[in-house]
Amino acid sequence: CILGTDMAHHASKLSKLEDINRLGGFDNLAENDDQRAFILVTLLHTSDLYNPIKPFHVTKKWANRLQREFNQQCDVEAQMGLPSLPFMKGSGELALAKGEVGFITFVIRPWYVQLTKAFPKIEFLMDNIDTNLDMWKSVVESHE
């Protein structure tokens, strides 16, 4: 179950979701165990990518918390002599905003575009994603 949230598998999940959508969507779920299982994995993975669908004042608070968690992890990794991922090292509002712009642009938006093709009733979530992307971009612009 925990692998459902592992970002190392994000690209393959996105590719599979794109393939399903290209072939007309989920089909005959009553008899298709693989697709039913993939829906469950998709929902679990989506639950880990929820923050940018929230209103901006909420998503900003959680993004700040995540940035602090990443920074703390980098500190522990440094103490242990381990490398840290570059995106986890940033601090401050500008680094946070740039990170969120990249995350939404390259991870969240492509995922939710495919998800809303598969499940059109949740298309309204794209409005918050696009609004949040614009808000983060304006934070970046205010610092440059």
Side-chain angles (χ1 to χ4, degrees):
C1 244
I2 193 66
L3 292 178
T5 62
D6 188 344
M7 287 303 290
H9 302 283
H10 175 79
S12 64
K13 289 180 190 118
L14 179 58
S15 179
K16 185 170 182 175
L17 192 53
E18 288 169 340
D19 289 344
I20 288 169
N21 286 332
R22 191 173 21 262
L23 295 172
F26 292 100
D27 185 42
N28 199 11
L29 289 174
E31 297 177 19
N32 192 326
D33 292 341
D34 289 340
Q35 282 193 358
R36 281 198 319 271
F38 182 67
I39 287 173
L40 294 176
V41 168
T42 298
L43 293 174
L44 181 61
H45 186 60
T46 301
S47 72
D48 205 39
L49 303 175
Y50 76 96
N51 191 42
I53 68 171
K54 303 281 187 185
F56 186 72
H57 72 281
V58 175
T59 196
K60 187 175 182 183
K61 286 180 186 177
W62 281 103
N64 276 300
R65 291 174 179 143
L66 188 58
Q67 184 184 52
R68 281 193 305 274
E69 180 183 329
F70 285 169
N71 292 162
Q72 291 168 352
Q73 180 176 331
C74 287
D75 292 345
V76 170
E77 289 169 343
Q79 291 170 358
M80 298 174 72
L82 298 171
S84 296
L85 295 171
F87 76 88
M88 296 178 75
K89 294 180 182 181
S91 62
E93 187 177 52
L94 179 57
L96 176 64
K98 285 182 174 181
E100 289 300 303
V101 167
F103 183 60
I104 293 170
T105 300
F106 298 109
V107 177
I108 296 300
R109 201 161 194 303
W111 180 258
Y112 277 90
V113 164
Q114 292 304 315
L115 193 67
T116 58
K117 284 181 182 177
F119 305 102
K121 289 185 179 184
I122 63 168
E123 191 169 348
F124 68 94
L125 296 175
M126 293 303 298
D127 293 337
N128 273 3
I129 292 169
D130 291 337
T131 297
N132 288 335
L133 180 57
D134 290 342
M135 294 293 287
W136 287 119
K137 284 180 178 178
S138 67
V139 172
V140 170
E141 290 168 5
S142 75
H143 285 275
E144 294 181 337

